[in-house]
């Protein structure tokens, strides 16, 4: 395999943060000599998450075995995932904000047609449903555990406890029509064909759409980590990957 110099479009603060976590972890477990330093392991992990390089590509580029590359990435992902905020933490932090924005996104996966639980009829592809919460400026605050793509957004929001948590905290939340009937503080547009809505209802829906559109910024932030654009790993690992990326983003943007 040919090896060439490349770059990773991630801030140096993300690299420093992950390096510190890995150094602390190595001291805790009493790890001695390793093929890569904590800094190089952090860079390897960022290359995997941000660019989506395979373990074979990482192994060739960093001069380690494929098994070692997999082990290094898995170790770093587990450390980061443990640092991701819970829904309760996010709601507590966001209690001072005027409102939040909620939406679901599909993370594409490589599954065959027979895997119906992972097939999203809305997106016409296989994937995992992840609920995203953003602040009024569209900044990513929280991402939920991944559920099969066949799960509808309103069901996912209820099962994750999002609706109840926001209602208990009294935080208004803007969402699309997919959350109609959610209750609590979740606000959705008026239902019906555009021409059947009154002028006032149309004005409300236009205003609602402008506010809710900012959630696309948060979704884009999540999917700027290119590994999430086409996941080829076991579906049981996807939640940890999302949590790791969320923790990295919050740590480097805070």
């Amino acid at each position: 395999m040919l090896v060439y110099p490349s770059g990773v479009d991630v801030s140096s603060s993300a690299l420093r943060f992950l390096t510190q976590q890995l150094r602390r972890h190595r001291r805790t477990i009493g790890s001695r000599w390793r093929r890569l330093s904590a800094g190089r392991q952090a860079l390897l992990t960022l290359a995997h998450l941000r660019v989506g390089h395979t373990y074979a590509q990482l192994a060739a580029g960093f001069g380690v075995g494929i098994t070692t590359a997999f082990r290094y990435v898995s170790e770093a992902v587990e450390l980061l995932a443990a640092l991701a905020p819970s829904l309760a933490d996010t709601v507590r932090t966001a209690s001072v904000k005027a409102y939040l924005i909620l939406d679901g996104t599909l993370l594409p996966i490589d599954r065959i047609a027979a895997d119906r639980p992972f097939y999203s009829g809305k997106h016409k592809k296989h994937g995992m449903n992840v609920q995203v919460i953003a602040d009024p400026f569209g900044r990513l605050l929280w991402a939920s555990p991944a559920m099969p793509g066949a799960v509808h957004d309103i069901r996912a929001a209820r099962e994750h406890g999002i609706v109840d948590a926001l209602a208990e905290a009294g935080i208004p939340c803007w969402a699309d029509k997919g959350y109609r009937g959610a209750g609590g503080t979740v606000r959705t547009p008026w239902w019906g064909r555009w021409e059947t809505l009154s002028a006032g209802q149309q004005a409300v829906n236009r205003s609602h759409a402008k506010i809710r559109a900012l959630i696309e910024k948060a979704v884009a932030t999540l999917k700027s980590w290119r590994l999430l654009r086409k996941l080829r790993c076991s579906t049981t690992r996807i939640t940890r990957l999302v949590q790791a990326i969320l923790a990295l983003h919050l740590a480097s943007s805070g």
Side-chain angles (χ1 to χ4, degrees), residues 131-192:
Q131 298 294 297
V132 176
I133 293 179
D135 70 6
F137 299 97
R139 291 177 296 211
L140 176 63
L141 297 180
W142 184 76
S144 74
M147 299 183 72
V151 176
H152 294 287
D153 285 338
I154 186 171
R155 176 186 163 191
R158 284 172 173 163
E159 292 196 13
H160 292 310
I162 298 172
V163 176
D164 290 339
L166 294 175
E168 185 176 346
I171 305 176
C173 177
W174 265 251
D176 64 20
K177 293 180 180 179
Y179 296 88
R180 187 168 66 102
T185 56
V186 177
R187 301 179 181 178
T188 57
W190 284 99
W191 184 266

Side-chain angles (χ1 to χ4, degrees), residues 70-151:
F70 174 81
R71 188 172 66 250
Y72 278 167
V73 170
S74 297
E75 180 182 49
V77 166
E78 288 299 317
L79 283 175
L80 289 170
L83 300 174
S86 65
L87 175 61
D89 293 334
T90 301
V91 171
R92 192 180 307 113
T93 303
S95 61
V96 297
K97 300 184 182 296
Y99 60 87
L100 296 176
I101 314 173
L102 170 66
D103 199 6
T105 187
L106 189 79
L107 303 182
I109 59 175
D110 58 342
R111 285 295 182 274
I112 60 176
D115 294 324
R116 298 302 299 176
F118 298 99
Y119 185 78
S120 169
K122 176 182 177 181
H123 297 90
K124 309 301 181 185
K125 64 177 67 174
H126 291 80
M128 301 294 284
N129 180 306
V130 172
Q131 298 294 297
V132 176
I133 293 179
D135 70 6
F137 299 97
R139 291 177 296 211
L140 176 63
L141 297 180
W142 184 76
S144 74
M147 299 183 72
V151 176

Side-chain angles (χ1 to χ4, degrees), residues 107-111 126 226-232:
L107 303 182
I109 59 175
D110 58 342
R111 285 295 182 274
H126 291 80
R226 287 181 280 280
L227 181 70
L228 298 184
R229 297 180 187 177
K230 185 65 173 181
L231 289 154
R232 294 178 172 83

Side-chain angles (χ1 to χ4, degrees), residues 13-25:
S13 60
L15 178 62
R16 288 194 300 269
F17 173 76
L18 182 52
T19 300
Q20 292 170 357
Q21 298 302 318
L22 288 169
R23 284 174 180 162
R24 186 177 297 115
H25 175 68

